[in-house]
Amino acid sequence: MAGTGEGPPLAQQLLAGGWRLKVSVVSRAASLAYGPHPHQELAVGAIGASEGPEAGVAAELVEARRRGEPYTWVIDATHPFATRISAALALTCTAQGQPLLRLKRPDLSGAGAVVLGDLACLGTHCRPGERLLLAIGARRLGEAVAAAPQALHHARLLPHGEALALALASGIPAQRLAPLRPSGDGRIERALCRHWAIDAVLCRRSGGANEAQWHRICAELGLRLLLLERPPEPGQAEALPLRQLLQRLGQSGPHG
């Protein structure tokens, strides 16, 4: 299970090491980050979309064994905040005796950033009338707005109908919403901060490229950076940084 962050480079390194892969991604857009390879199969769509993720994971493991091609490893390389699928992988793999590894993202927290244990405490870190840019995805915008009603909220979200509907339902005016894909180099995000005269940014402490970008932007523009703490890793999964994960896989070999 992977996304568009560490997933593609991890897949490239495993393919170079002789592994055969089946990569599960949620959307066609996410699949485009993976180039074609004769030993790589792409499965596009939410696993267990109809019956739920645990049932979907269980069915996939059972079917692989039925075909006589059981998985040597399952690698959870999903986003740190994708808690539902990570929990399903951990519980189901443990129940079926399927070896599972979790890719652990690094800690990028730098000097000056404030880490919030939960959105409920956001209000204590916002001043009245402060222009706050919410870069936490659309699902929890309503919680953020309710937690800090004294702030002037703005939001950067993905250009999807569901995301826009959630953002509008949060009460943020349309003129303070920016439905756009991440620019990659931060140019659009910097322009948004300047255009809206942003004072502070709230993003998720994901440990990935998006968080690293907000660290750079806030440092360059003199903005306060608030980080929403990532959820704890699933207890049933062995979580390892990329290098250690590759070493762990290498112990069993591509066909071990």
Side-chain angles (χ1 to χ4, degrees):
M1 299 293 298
T4 57
E6 289 81 3
L10 173 59
Q12 291 171 8
Q13 293 187 62
L14 292 175
L15 290 168
W19 289 87
R20 293 174 57 230
L21 305 180
K22 181 173 183 178
V23 182
S24 176
V25 294
V26 172
S27 66
R28 182 179 180 277
S31 72
L32 297 178
Y34 296 83
H37 194 283
H39 292 160
Q40 176 179 266
E41 176 186 354
L42 288 175
V44 179
I47 190 166
S50 58
E51 67 272 32
E54 286 186 33
V57 172
E60 176 66 28
L61 297 179
V62 169
E63 175 60 19
R65 288 196 294 269
R66 187 196 66 78
R67 295 194 309 264
E69 299 176 341
Y71 293 108
T72 305
W73 290 98
V74 171
I75 309 298
D76 179 2
T78 59
H79 194 279
F81 284 77
T83 54
R84 191 180 180 199
I85 184 61
S86 288
L89 286 167
L91 290 171
T92 307
C93 288
T94 298
Q96 295 200 18
Q98 169 64 54
L100 168 70
L101 290 176
R102 164 83 170 156
L103 177 61
K104 183 179 181 180
R105 288 187 177 186
D107 179 4
L108 302 180
S109 299
V114 176
V115 179
L116 310 183
D118 190 81
L119 271 180
C121 64
L122 176 61
T124 64
H125 298 279
C126 295
R127 298 183 289 269
E130 184 174 41
R131 292 178 173 269
L132 175 65
L133 176 59
L134 302 170
I136 58 172
R139 294 189 181 279
R140 303 191 69 185
L141 287 179
E143 291 180 61
V145 171
Q150 74 276 30
L152 196 61
H153 301 95
H154 304 68
R156 202 265 293 147
L157 57 144
L158 291 175
H160 300 153
E162 180 185 3
L164 184 56
L166 288 170
L168 291 171
S170 75
I172 302 176
Q175 63 269 27
R176 292 196 232 132
L177 298 177
L180 53 88
R181 296 193 178 280
S183 61
D185 58 9
R187 285 183 295 175
I188 294 177
E189 290 78 7
R190 287 182 184 85
L192 273 178
C193 290
R194 293 190 178 104
H195 176 69
W196 281 333
I198 293 298
D199 299 304
V201 174
L202 173 67
C203 77
R204 296 178 292 190
R205 192 184 183 193
S206 62
N210 188 60
E211 183 195 339
Q213 179 173 273
W214 283 117
H215 278 281
R216 291 192 297 270
I217 292 172
C218 289
E220 291 169 12
L221 301 183
L223 310 179
R224 291 194 306 119
L225 178 60
L226 308 176
L227 298 174
L228 180 60
E229 183 62 280
R230 72 181 72 170
E233 299 288 348
Q236 302 92 334
E238 182 181 2
L240 297 171
L242 178 59
R243 180 177 297 180
Q244 287 90 325
L245 184 144
L246 290 171
Q247 291 174 345
R248 182 82 167 83
L249 293 173
Q251 292 174 4
S252 59
H255 307 293

